[in-house]
Structures are given as structure tokens and as C-alpha cells.
Amino acid sequence: MSFPSWLSQLYRGLSRPIRRTTQPIWGSLYRSLVQSSQRRNPEFSSFAVRTNTCGELRSSHLGQEVTLCGWIQYRRQNTFLVLRDFHGLVQVVIPQDESAASVRKILCEAPVESVVQVSGTVISRPAGQENPKMPTGEIEIKVKTAELLNACKKLPFEIKDFMKKTEGLRLQYRYLDLRSFQMQYNLRLRSQMVMKMREYLCNLHGFVDIETPTLFKRTPGGAKEFLVPSREPGKFYSLPQSPQQFKQLLMVGGLDRYFQVARCYRDEGSRPDRQPEFTQIDIEMSFVDQTGIQSLIEGLLQYSWPNDKDPVVVPFPTVTFTEALATYGTDKPDTRFGMKIIDISDVFRNTEIGFLQDALSKPHGTVKAICIPEGAKYLKRKDIESIRKFAADHFNQCSLLGKLRLECADLLETRGMVLRDPTLFSFLWVVDFPLFLPKEENPRELESAHHPFTAPHPSDIHLLYTEPKKARSQHYDLVLNGNEIGGGSIRIHNAELQRYILATLLKEDVKMLSHLLQALDYGAPPHGGIALGLDRLICLVTGSPSIRDVIAFPKSFRGHDLMSNAPDSIPSEELKPYHIRVSWPTDSKAERAH
Amino acid sequence: MSFPSWLSQLYRGLSRPIRRTTQPIWGSLYRSLVQSSQRRNPEFSSFAVRTNTCGELRSSHLGQEVTLCGWIQYRRQNTFLVLRDFHGLVQVVIPQDESAASVRKILCEAPVESVVQVSGTVISRPAGQENPKMPTGEIEIKVKTAELLNACKKLPFEIKDFMKKTEGLRLQYRYLDLRSFQMQYNLRLRSQMVMKMREYLCNLHGFVDIETPTLFKRTPGGAKEFLVPSREPGKFYSLPQSPQQFKQLLMVGGLDRYFQVARCYRDEGSRPDRQPEFTQIDIEMSFVDQTGIQSLIEGLLQYSWPNDKDPVVVPFPTVTFTEALATYGTDKPDTRFGMKIIDISDVFRNTEIGFLQDALSKPHGTVKAICIPEGAKYLKRKDIESIRKFAADHFNQCSLLGKLRLECADLLETRGMVLRDPTLFSFLWVVDFPLFLPKEENPRELESAHHPFTAPHPSDIHLLYTEPKKARSQHYDLVLNGNEIGGGSIRIHNAELQRYILATLLKEDVKMLSHLLQALDYGAPPHGGIALGLDRLICLVTGSPSIRDVIAFPKSFRGHDLMSNAPDSIPSEELKPYHIRVSWPTDSKAERAH
């Protein structure tokens, strides 16, 4: 029996470690699940009407009477039927003798993807008919009884050609898409990895898993917060972007070590590869400094890392924000490859090349270069031309060199060079961010580079009162392969300092945060924390093209649930208890809204 | 040193197993945490600036140099200071020699509840000064250095008298309330118990932890669903009351075994001891029957039960809905005590007592009694009078006898009889519920007794087409000490049957559920599940008076966050992107709304 082509297609479509497509994939899913848990196998058939899963049967089961439940994956000439469950595939022999006519009828007539239950004996396949590519390839099931549990109607698309379908169709029929090997793999790996994170935090390091509210009060500058009307006229809850305030208040409450796999909400309108609700591994602890949090997270990732990947090496390297910008042109550098930005000002200092002299004569004027290894060999004239055009298009953007570096990497890879090994996971801490940035709309005013609870760098506290723009923070970002997968900070625990920063430097309305300021006054311990973006992390670990591939029921990039058609219209009577009305836009406005 | 009185007060206030109030409580919290995890102690001081927790130091630590961080619990005559963290209390000797003047100043001047860090040596207490009531009572800390990490301002209330404060004050200053032994115990027990549930489901039985969306489409009859306006005019998300549809769709997607510690939302306005957001242990599995789910849950509770309670005995007894009503007058009977309802019609059949003959002559007329053990001894004349009044007040309510049974139990307990042992946990399955109930507003029409996806009892399927009112369902409730703590069912997996029930029997708009109906058509496996109300369960396990005591940041019964003042007003500009306006009620309406 050949391995079902749709599975291998799904598998080939990935940038995960490339294996032979003939390898039994359902078997490897199972193995990696079991290996990664490093404990006895879960009892996958406990409490169920089956005795075994389809994928687990081996020669060691020969002679056993088994009951299996699964989907009809494939049928060959009314002789064999291949049954599938989440665990794998097994071959069922369709009985040919007259006495088994009713069983034969069920197994021959049920459409593909119907659900059947069969009972029978595990037998050896006849000599020469073993399938070494299939984990269950040495055995087959001699059926005694069969039951059609549910017939499958004509599917909206042939599952074999599934990957050719648009993502819209996949999302509309998500419950079918979830049957694919890839989605099973992604969701099960996610579950396993989060479970191991919990073991590490809760069982090994005494963290307390605490749920915090999602119906909360809007936070200052919370323009991206979804609103939830209450039954009190004009009063709204907000769905918070993170449990930031609560985790700090838990530290004031002496909980000492908090974590939560926290649902967060952010209304950014239509943004590709963002979701209106997302998940973060949210962590806070008392009596800790920056290196403490960093070591905690390094240990966390090492402990929870899937065993079918190369182990995580700790400690992770650290660069400062300034170094990152200078060397990679970005604060989230992909350190899987070199091609660093080099300052070559000195080389040109004494030349007479006009535009370079021009640049060097300006304050902070520099000439910088990226050395492309074997560039002359790999890049063609039109590539050079496209690089030149790219540079011109992004002229005067300070992140130009960082973008150019990635653009060159893309070009080299399309020309066959392997720059960014998909099996490599390159973690990096970025530290010493500025505490404040000039406000975009009014550069004389300051805004928090991250959030107003971030503590200043211990060496820079005096700058808050003289040159706050120059103060660095105790914020740290965790970067993986050029993606920010986490960020956190040591927080301000001194109420006076917090008030000064909020009121004097940021000119925020402190009334909205009076509860937090008050809490700091009542014996708040020094504390700090971090949040890891779980969706992005799992996306990178599984090598998925989008975070939608690691979420069971994601929204489209416009924020729609294509399966159920959410958001949806609501009868106006149902708005009444919430004292709201729809402001229907005039036609012209409506057009702008779309 | 006497044990701090506020802790013992808190402890006394509970109906948990009564222990001597002199027992060291912070020690017992620690022991029960460690015992219940049945593994090596978590490293509570890893990654932190302290070397040890306050509560862990014993004679075995003598001579060790330690660094501790904690809150000043108590100071005695500028000689001793008792430092507290989540783990317990330790005595610190304030140095009296001149060379330690700065340390002495810090330790003598910092107000109570300030946070300090001390470094020093673990030494024996002088002979005769040991405190056997304190886990750390054999040792004390000889301080070398001390640092005031954060001073505490005057507290809004003395923590010693805390339990006398109103719940409103506790909620307003929740971060202080969380420092109490009771809240630490409740939240840590909750975290531990959920962790063990996860181990049972994920590691032992192969369940997959899958997050489902909370921004969803409104469900038929979803009048209690919070709305979330989207940026599309007139389009709203709904916050679902449970992941019911998603968990079923996951089964269609072949995920086989799903669980989630799921945040759910229900807008019931002001209801005592309900929360607008709450948590359920949400479970679904394929190829299972009712007894399978029941065994799963019995094992789950047995496995996760705290070790400081008596072990859970399985299997749990089962009664049918009909039996429960007949015997206890309720579908959630408290089976910790007897006083069952007995049918004594036959005794009175041949008497001539007028009102009894009257009752017996009616269709289904019965005479029922509750035998109150030693009632004559315990109940006084005025008790009998109050029972009679209670009966009169609730006359003609079918649940009268059930209420009367509980009323009598209350009375007996106020008179000193121990009927409901607080250390006893009496689980009960209630099964064979009716599938439908007559609609309240129109008793000729039917509504689902639970929800429309509940499968009918296998013996009663024929009744759906003849006498649907008589059909029983495959719904089951789990009851603990008279509280419903869970409910679930085997679901309908046949699309035709689901359509018939929705459209023909319930007259629902099937369009809103077209995605689910479609999913059932594409090879949905037989499946079933359950949801346990986590807040209520932990409330019962910890013997707390309210679910608010097992939630870190609960809302008041009016749905307010008293700490941050949510829900709150929103500037009208911030409503614009959501195309909504507030419908301010006229004055008279506003009054009604309050």
C-alpha cells in the first residue's frame, strides 16, 4: 500500500527537517509525541469503545482480538480498506465469504471519510505483502463485525488535493482541515509543549497558575482594546491586551511566582498574520533581576523543547539594542546567518568620492557595508539591480540596512544558497532598550518605548531627572530567528518613581491607574516578568507558514470566522439591554470603512 | 512568639477540617502543597535574589548563610522581627551592637508590611526560647546586612482585624487581601489541583489541550452572551457561554480527546455568587459512551484530589432524575445525610383524614414524609412552627419537599446536630434527564432541557417521533454535596437527527448552526463530553463561603471590579470605530436600570 499522497504532500510543504516522503508520517507523529513526553505512553484507548488505536498495532499484537474506530481513508478493489485515526493507519481485510455478506456490504459501500467500527483479529500479512513504509505494515485486521457509525456525504473538496485549496476554503471547513496530518501535528505539539512548560514552572519552580480577568477597565492609551458593553448605560468593560496590571498586583499580593497561559485581545483591524485574540505565556516573579528572568526562560525553553528537534543550547547570546541596530539594522536580528553590517567609514575617510564625502561630513555620518559571501558567484546582474532598487525605495529609512540584509538573504536563497537552516533555532536576547521614545505626533513629548511600568536601568536613574531621553530601561526582548517571541522587564516597584514617570514625564492621567499606584505604596516587592507569544513560538517550532496553522479555529486576516460567519448582525432588541445603538455610516463613510 | 492572630482568625473562619488554632498554619500550607504534588519540592528560590524562603528554615540549616526577602509581619521591642513570605514566618534577631547601627535602624524603623531583604546566619534559638508552634521555631536569623526594599504606607485597615472588614473593602484592596493565608491557600490549591487534572488528562490519557476562540458568533437563544462590537458597522462578536460548538467540531476534526481549562462568559446581570466570567474544565472525547465519561471524571477527581482531604471513593453512586426528585425533591441532592422523602400514601389510603384523602384522590396524588432523626429531641416548638410556615410559603411548588429537607437540616444544625460533615465530599451522578421541557412562555412548545446537541437515550429514540416530551436524554450531572459541579452528555452525531430536533421539535433557526450541521454530515464520530465548574468545585474543596474566595480578582455581585472600577465610561470618540452610540435612557428608565 502506498502512503496516502495527501499526507506526504502536506508534509513536503513544510520547512521542517526534510525527511524522505516515503517515511511513515503518522508513525513519526506518534513517536515524537511519546518521546517528547519522556514517560509511559498515555492510554489513548481508556474509557473508549475501542480496544486499540489504528496506528499502534504491530506484530506484537498478533492474535489479539481488537475493536477499532476510525475514518475510511482508502479502499482497494473491495478487498482492503485502510482505516485512519489520529494515531495512524491500519489495513483491514474485507471478508469475501458469503457468511460475512453484511460486514462486506458495510465496508464496501461506506463512502471515504465515513466513520466505522470494526472488531476482529490482528493477523500477519501474507509473506511478501508486508509494507515496511507503514508502521502497521506487518499486520492487518481480519474482521468479524463491522458497524457504520456515520456515513460521510460528498466532501466540499477532495481531501487528496487539499493543499491546493485556498486558505479561505480550509478555514470555512476547518473541521475537515483539522483531520490533516499537519494540523494534528501542530495542535498536538502545541499541547505537549505547553504541558511541559507548565511542569517546569509549576512542578519544578513553584510558580502558581492564576487566572486573571478579561473583562476589565480600559487602560491609558488602550485604543486597541475591544469594548464589551455592560448593562449599565455608558459603561463598558475592555478586553485587555495582556494581564500586565494583574500580574503586578499579584506580586503586591505576595503570590511570589505567577504564570498563566493567558488569552489576550488586541483590535488592530485587518493585519496579516495577527489575530484579534492570541495567547501568551505570561510570567511574573518577585525578588528577581533581569538575569534571573533570562535564566528562567532559557530553562523553560530547554525543558519544553520538542525532542524531535535539536536541543536548545543555553545561555542564549545577548546583544544590546544599540549593538543590534548597528550590526543587524534591526532590534530583532535573525542570527542564523552572518552578513553583519560593517562600518567602513574609515576606509573612505580620505577618498574623494563625492557622495561618500557628503555622507561622512554630516553629524554621525557613516558609510556602512554588508559583505555578501560568494555574492559574485550567486547573484546575477538583475539581482544587483533589484538590490539597488530596494535601497532606493527604502532610502532614508533608518532600518534600510537591516531590510537590505534580509532582502539579500532572500535573493541568495532563491539562487540556491542555504543561509537560514530551517532546523536551526537561533535565540537571542536584546537588552538595554531606551526607556522612552519621542512621540510620533509631537517629538518633544515622550512615550514609553514599551509600557510605563518598565523600570529604568539602574545606572540611568539619574538621567530621568536630567535627560530622560537617554535613559535605558530594564526591558528585554527574546528573539528567535529574526522574530520577537517574547518581551518583558523588571518593573517599577516604587510608587513615587512610578508617579513621576506617569505624571511628569509621560503626562498620563494617573487617575486611571490609581489602584496600581496605591498598591505600590503598600509594600510592593521588587518584581519582574516576561510574556512569550505562544502562537508565534509554536509557528516557528513547527515551521508553519502562518500562526493560523497553529491555532485550531483562527480568524481570517480581516478578523472573520469563516466557518461560522462571525462577527454577525445582532437584532436591535438584543442591543437594548446594553444601552447601545448602531451608528450606521452614511454611504461614503461606509465605503471608507471597507 | 505567639502565632499571628489574623492568620488563625482567618483559619478559624473556615469549615475545613477543624484543627487546633495553635497549629502552625503556614507550615501546613507548605506541607500540603508538597505532599499533594507527590514529587520533589519545587525550587521556590531558583532565579531569585534570596537563597531560601522564610518558611523553610529548620535546625538542619544551622550555620548556613542565607538571604531572605519578605514582609515585616511583626516586631517585638526592637529586638525581634518576624519576616513573612508565602511560605511562612521566620524570626530575625535585630542586632544591638553599635557596629550594626544602620542595620538596626532599617529593621526598627520600617513600618509593618514593608518589604525587606536580610542576609545573615541561621542560628539556634537560646535554650527555652524555642517555639514548637512555629515550623521555624527552633531557629532564628542573626542578621549581617539588611535592605529596605519598599516601605509600606499606612494601610487602609489593620490586617489583624481583616476578617471583620466588609467584602467590599477586601475586593477594593484585593492585592492586600491576597496576602492572607486563606487566599494564598485557595489560589495555590486551585493551581495544584488544575495541574494534576492536566497531568491526568494529558499525560495519562492522551487528551489534547486545545484553545478555542472567545470572539465568536452568537448562538441561538444566546440572550446571556456579552457582545463585542467589531469595526464593521452592525457586526458583533459574542463571548460564548462555553466552547460547546468548538469541542464538537474538534471531534469532527479527528482530535479524538480534547480538554481545555476554558474561560466562559455569561451575562446574567446581578446574581449572587455568579461571575460574568468563569472557568470550566471542558472535556470531549470520541467513541465513548456515558459510562466512559463517568469513569474518566471519577478518575480525574480521584487523581487530582488534594492530599490533605480524605481520598475520593469511586465509582460515584448514580440516581436517575426521577429517583432524585422522588427521594430528595431536587435534581442536585445533598447525599451527605439521609432524611429521604418517603411515600406514605398507603398508610393513609384507608384513613378518613379529610385533606389527605383529598390529596390522594387526585391523579398522581401522594402523601409524602420526611423522617427527622431525633427530631423530637432537637427541634423545639418554634422550629416546628417555622417548618410549617416554610411549607405554607412554598405550597404548590414541586420542589417544596426538597427545600423542606434542607430547611430541616439547617434547623437541626443550628440546634447542634452535625448532619453535613464538612470533611465529607459526597459525589453523585444524576442521569436520565428528560430531553425536552415545555417552554415556560408556551407550554405546548418544547425547549431543550440542557442544549439541543444532547443525544436522546438509546431506548427512547422512537419517542422523538411520537411523544418527544417523554424522551429521556443521555445527559448526566455531577453533584457534590448538593451542588451541581458538572454536566455533560453524549451528543448527537447524526446530522438528520440533529436537524429534526432543531427544526421540527425545537423550531430553531437552523441557519445559525448550518456549519455544525454540515460538519455532522462529513463523518462526525460518535462523541460525548462534560464540563466541570472549576470555581464552584474549588470553592467546595476549600470550604469557602463564596466562589469569590477562590478567584484572584473576582467581580462583585453587580459585576463590578471594585479595585479598578470596571466597567467604566468610554469617551465617545473611542466608540466611533465600532459604529456604536450609547442610548442614554430617559431619567425614569435610568432609575429602572439601577
Side-chain angles (χ1 to χ4, degrees), chain B residues 8 11-12 17-25 133:
Chain B
S8 54
Y11 196 67
R12 262 202 298 266
I18 293 139
R19 297 182 202 165
R20 295 167 60 82
T21 52
T22 50
Q23 192 175 340
I25 289 164
K133 297 174 189 164

Side-chain angles (χ1 to χ4, degrees), chain A residues 43 46 50 150 179 205 211 214-215 232 237 256-257 265 267 277 279 493 522 524 555 559-560 578, chain B residues 46 50 150 179 190 205 211 214-215 232 237 256-257 265 267 277 279 493 522 524 555 559-560 578:
Chain A
E43 292 173 27
S46 49
R50 66 179 173 237
N150 211 354
R179 291 184 193 166
H205 295 290
E211 300 168 70
T214 56
L215 294 174
E232 287 174 66
Y237 298 104
D256 200 66
R257 296 173 170 225
Y265 300 85
D267 181 16
E277 53 186 316
T279 304
H493 64 276
Y522 295 136
K555 304 281 191 296
H560 289 188
Y578 298 107
Chain B
S46 49
R50 66 177 173 238
N150 212 353
R179 290 185 194 165
R190 180 176 175 136
H205 294 289
E211 299 166 70
T214 55
L215 294 173
E232 288 174 66
Y237 298 105
D256 200 66
R257 295 172 171 226
Y265 300 85
D267 181 14
E277 53 185 317
T279 303
H493 64 275
Y522 296 136
K555 304 280 191 297
H560 290 189
Y578 299 108

